[in-house]
Amino acid sequence: MVDDKVIQRAPSQHLGPKYRPDEEKPSATVSTKVTHENVTVLPQTPQLIALLTMIRDKTTNRADFIFYSNRINRLLVEEALNHLPCLPQTITTPVGRPYAGVQFEGKICGVSIMRAGEAMEQALRECCRSVRIGKILIQRDEETSLPKLFYDKLPGDVAERWVLLLDPMLATGGSALMAVDVLRSRGVPEDHILFLNLIASPEGAANFAQKFPKVRIVTAFVDQGLDEKNYIVPGLGDFGDRFYTL
Ligand code: PRP
Ligand code: URA
C-alpha cells in the first residue's frame, strides 16, 4: 500500500529535559512520524528510549528482556487508560475540604493475542486489579506471514466493555486486524477498542487506520519498516521467542 501518512522514517532527536542545552543531550533515533489520527505514540523520553534500547539489543538476556518490556508495557497501559471516558467526581479530603476530581466511567477488559500478547497482561493487572482477560490465539504463518485463527475465549459481556487489545508487535497488521474482526463479530463497537502495542511498522499502522480508523492504537514506537520476511526493522526480533523461550 502507498502510505502518504508517513512523514519521516527514523528521525533523530536530542533526548533530555528542555532546560538542558542540546549539546549536553545525546541524540537518538526516535519514532517515525505518522499522521493517522487513530495512532497515539508515547512521548519519546530518555527513559522510554533507554528501555527500548535494552529490549532491541540482541545481547540482552531473557530476564532483562522480560523486566524492561514489562516497564514499557506499564507505560502503554497508563497511557491507554487516559483514553477512557471519565466523569467529574468531587470528594472530601481528611481535612474537610472538597477536591474536584474525576472517576473512570464504564467497564473494561483485556484481550491478549496469544502468545506474545499475554506478556502484556501483567502490566494491565498491575494497573487494573482483577481485570477480566480474554484470549485470542492467532498465529502468523512463517512462510506466508498470513494470520490463522485457532481459538478465542472472551468475557460473555465483552460487547459492553471497553477492550484493551494486547499485542506487542504490529508488523503487517494481519494478526491484529483479525483479532478486531473477532471482537466486532461479538458486538464490540470499533471505537471501544484500544490496541496496545510496543512496536508498530508504518505499513501495519496504515493498514489498521484504513480498515479500522476508529480503533485507537497506543504504541511506544513506530519503526522504519518491514524486511523481506515481514519482520519489523530495526525491530527487536521475535518477541514471543525472546520473552518465553530463548
Ligand atoms: C507475532 C506478534 C503478532 C504478529 C505480528 O506473533 O506477536 O501477533 O506476529 O505480525 P503481523 O502484524 O504481520 O500479523 P506470532 O504469530 O509470531 O506468534 P507468537 O505470539 O506466538 O510469537
Ligand atoms: N512478530 C515478531 O515477534 N516480530 C516481528 O518483527 C514481526 C512479527
Side-chain angles (χ1 to χ4, degrees):
M1 170 195 295
V2 179
D3 182 13
D4 58 1
K5 298 284 178 90
V6 174
I7 296 176
Q8 192 191 0
R9 296 191 190 215
S12 183
Q13 191 174 298
H14 289 283
L15 292 179
K18 283 207 177 68
Y19 58 77
R20 209 163 273 159
D22 274 355
E23 51 278 15
E24 287 179 15
K25 297 190 285 190
S27 68
T29 304
V30 293
S31 174
T32 294
K33 296 197 188 334
V34 294
T35 58
H36 311 293
E37 280 174 9
N38 65 322
V39 177
T40 297
V41 182
L42 292 186
Q44 302 292 288
T45 60
Q47 179 178 208
L48 176 65
I49 299 300
L51 297 172
L52 281 162
T53 306
M54 283 300 295
I55 64 169
R56 286 180 187 279
D57 186 342
K58 67 178 185 183
T59 68
T60 295
N61 65 33
R62 200 169 65 85
D64 283 339
F65 186 85
I66 293 170
F67 179 80
Y68 291 105
S69 58
N70 274 342
R71 283 196 54 198
I72 303 174
N73 291 336
R74 245 323 257 273
L75 297 173
L76 287 167
V77 173
E78 299 283 6
E79 173 56 29
L81 295 175
N82 288 330
H83 297 267
L84 297 176
C86 48
L87 292 171
Q89 190 191 20
T90 299
I91 51 84
T92 305
T93 71
V95 291
R97 299 296 173 92
Y99 171 74
V102 293
Q103 63 174 359
F104 284 126
E105 184 204 24
K107 297 187 291 184
I108 67 162
C109 70
V111 171
S112 53
I113 303 177
M114 296 161 70
R115 146 191 80 151
E118 291 179 297
M120 303 174 81
E121 292 177 5
Q122 181 183 331
L124 179 59
R125 287 188 198 284
E126 283 167 3
C127 297
C128 310
R129 258 181 318 179
S130 75
V131 64
R132 287 167 171 73
I133 296 186
K135 310 268 182 177
I136 302 179
L137 175 55
I138 293 172
Q139 291 285 288
R140 196 170 90 142
D141 184 283
E142 287 190 5
E143 299 302 320
T144 64
S145 301
L146 292 174
K148 189 161 178 220
L149 173 65
F150 289 92
Y151 163 92
D152 70 85
K153 200 87 177 173
L154 302 172
D157 61 353
V158 69
E160 287 131 49
R161 291 178 180 273
W162 288 81
V163 175
L164 278 65
L165 181 63
L166 310 174
D167 193 331
M169 305 306 281
L170 172 61
T172 65
S175 306
L177 290 171
M178 185 174 267
V180 173
D181 278 331
V182 172
L183 294 172
R184 299 278 296 112
S185 74
R186 303 301 156 78
V188 182
E190 195 181 316
D191 61 1
H192 279 206
I193 302 170
L194 298 164
F195 176 39
L196 280 61
N197 165 250
L198 229 145
I199 300 184
S201 74
E203 293 80 358
N207 289 340
F208 229 93
Q210 193 195 34
K211 186 161 180 206
F212 294 121
K214 293 184 188 157
V215 172
R216 177 141 298 276
I217 300 176
V218 178
T219 186
F221 205 100
V222 182
D223 243 352
Q224 289 154 38
L226 297 171
D227 69 8
E228 60 292 346
K229 290 182 163 173
N230 285 322
Y231 268 74
I232 301 172
V233 286
L236 51 71
D238 188 306
F239 186 97
D241 283 356
R242 295 193 65 188
F243 196 95
Y244 291 113
T245 60
L246 280 182

